[in-house]
Amino acid sequence: MMGVKILGTGSAVPSRVMTNDDMAKIVETSDEWISTRTGIRSRRYCDAEVGESHRTLVRDAAARALEAAGIEPAQVGVCLVATFTADTCTPSAACLLQADLGMPEDTLCFDLNAACAGFVYGLHVAECLLPGAARPYALVVGADTLSRVMDFTDRTTCVLFGDGAGAAVLERAEGYPELHAVWGSRGDDTSLYAPGVGCDDPSYLHMDGRAVFRFATEVMPRCTTEVLERAGISADEVDRFVYHQANKRIVDYSVKKLGLDPAKCEGNIDHTGNTSAGSVPILLDELVHAGKLGSGSRVLMAGFGAGLTWAGALAEFA
Ligand code: ACO
């Protein structure tokens, strides 16, 4: 049986840190409100003055993941960037990454928009594409620069998001397991909405926070249960649960509902905010660097976001 494993991870976050106290200078809010309602204490934004952009975050996260995997750009067969806030609609962020790292012309390169569920969607899409790809390695990047679409007069949304990118390299080989992915979408343009480039609507990201909260607390436990069922294993056999970091209360709710060990479900939202498609792979990479995930580890990832979308997958580290 052919399947996939994670060979390496990488991440990149911008240098500019915005604390909750910094946000309180922009909108009427407080560290107390933000941290108790969401778990967020700071987030980071790209700073064009020091040359940071969506493109540089994607490039740096991807280069670090390839280095950790011991894979050269020329060995990549599939290159996906999950995002909805790339610097340009076209060329895609994936094609810009191909140029930056020098991947061959027969690499499948494209962007994928499943909002905050994008990276987990991307893992599944890469698993599906690898059998027909020129080479058995996939580079999957999740990256968003939500600061581009934030309304900095709307305290109900602007305090929640940050910029960042994370990446993983997958290898397809005989004897490797499937991802046992689950996914879904529910066409909904009212709960969460961001304008496209050139859109007549001059406004920014809109969100009905309570509706998204209800949706998230429905799909996160469901994704987890369905992935475990597909894999035929119990939660005890998973080393780490890496959940989309949108609100600590959403993760805590899912952990409690599923009766998971909280020590296996650690997050990083306190210093990242919600980095959308970057969220799951950034946390994955932080756990690797902290020595909490490594060779042989089994990780269950789940994400949800605008669309509305959700996805879950179980992956092993080579
Ligand atoms: N500072 C101070 N007060 C605030 C702030 C703020 N930043 N934001 C809202 N409030 C006020 C509201 O105005 C409201 O005041 P009122 O009672 O006088 O009307 C009060 O706080 C409570 O507001 P709620 O919306 O009920 O607060 P809630 O506890 O639901 O938390 C939150 C809001 C954090 C947005 C929550 O609903 C949430 O996390 N929702 C999910 C969001 C999410 O997961 N998004 C991820 C997808 S993103 C993507 O895919 C791009």
Side-chain angles (χ1 to χ4, degrees):
M1 187 194 70
M2 300 285 275
V4 294
K5 282 193 183 182
I6 297 177
L7 290 190
T9 60
S11 62
V13 292
S15 51
R16 185 172 161 219
V17 178
M18 290 288 288
T19 64
N20 288 347
D21 287 338
D22 293 330
M23 299 308 295
K25 291 176 193 149
I26 301 173
V27 285
E28 198 182 329
T29 189
S30 65
D31 176 47
E32 203 269 334
W33 193 95
I34 302 170
S35 56
T36 54
R37 298 280 179 137
T38 69
I40 300 168
R41 295 199 172 273
S42 65
R43 72 289 290 144
R44 286 167 182 256
Y45 295 149
C46 277
D47 184 350
E49 285 186 14
V50 297
E52 289 169 346
S53 64
H54 187 281
R55 181 173 184 168
T56 64
L57 292 181
V58 169
R59 181 198 64 204
D60 293 348
R64 287 168 191 156
L66 287 171
E67 193 185 343
I71 294 295
E72 295 297 325
Q75 293 175 268
V76 175
V78 175
C79 170
L80 303 182
V81 180
T83 188
F84 72 98
T85 53
D87 295 337
T88 49
C89 271
T90 192
S92 66
C95 286
L96 294 177
L97 178 60
Q98 179 187 27
D100 287 343
L101 299 188
M103 284 178 253
E105 284 192 357
D106 59 354
T107 311
L108 269 163
C109 293
F110 63 94
D111 290 357
L112 179 162
N113 174 358
C116 304
F119 177 76
V120 187
Y121 257 73
L123 292 176
H124 174 55
V125 172
E127 180 187 37
C128 294
L129 292 176
L130 275 173
R135 291 165 293 280
Y137 300 101
L139 178 56
V140 182
V141 186
D144 270 308
T145 44
L146 269 292
S147 62
R148 302 166 68 97
V149 292
M150 263 6 302
D151 178 353
F152 284 100
T153 64
D154 176 10
R155 68 176 181 173
T156 68
T157 54
C158 74
V159 301
L160 302 174
F161 298 96
D163 299 343
V169 175
L170 294 183
E171 179 187 30
R172 179 172 191 267
E174 185 63 42
Y176 281 3
E178 289 174 36
L179 291 176
H180 303 289
V182 300
W183 62 90
S185 55
R186 185 179 295 168
D188 174 343
D189 61 357
T190 54
S191 302
L192 193 42
Y193 160 87
V197 175
C199 179
D200 287 342
D201 183 347
S203 60
Y204 298 94
L205 182 141
H206 295 280
M207 183 173 70
D208 177 345
R210 288 182 195 178
V212 178
F213 196 95
R214 276 196 302 277
F215 160 71
T217 49
E218 174 203 329
V219 296
M220 283 296 89
R222 180 171 140 194
C223 265
T224 308
T225 306
E226 288 179 3
V227 171
L228 291 173
E229 279 171 9
R230 282 198 183 197
I233 61 167
S234 73
D236 294 342
E237 295 171 85
V238 175
D239 297 299
R240 288 274 161 180
F241 294 84
V242 172
Y243 287 126
H244 172 44
Q245 303 290 297
N247 187 328
K248 187 173 181 303
R249 283 159 53 212
I250 294 172
V251 176
D252 290 348
Y253 173 90
S254 305
V255 170
K256 197 168 170 200
K257 179 151 193 208
L258 294 160
L260 303 177
D261 175 0
K264 286 186 177 181
C265 308
E266 185 181 341
N268 63 354
I269 195 168
D270 60 320
H271 58 273
T272 58
N274 178 351
T275 54
S276 187
S279 156
V280 167
I282 291 172
L283 176 55
L284 206 57
D285 190 48
E286 282 191 14
L287 292 168
V288 169
H289 281 276
K292 295 172 179 175
L293 279 176
S295 184
S297 300
R298 209 182 229 176
V299 57
L300 194 154
M301 294 163 273
F304 64 90
L308 297 164
T309 55
W310 65 94
L314 182 76
E316 269 183 47
F317 279 74

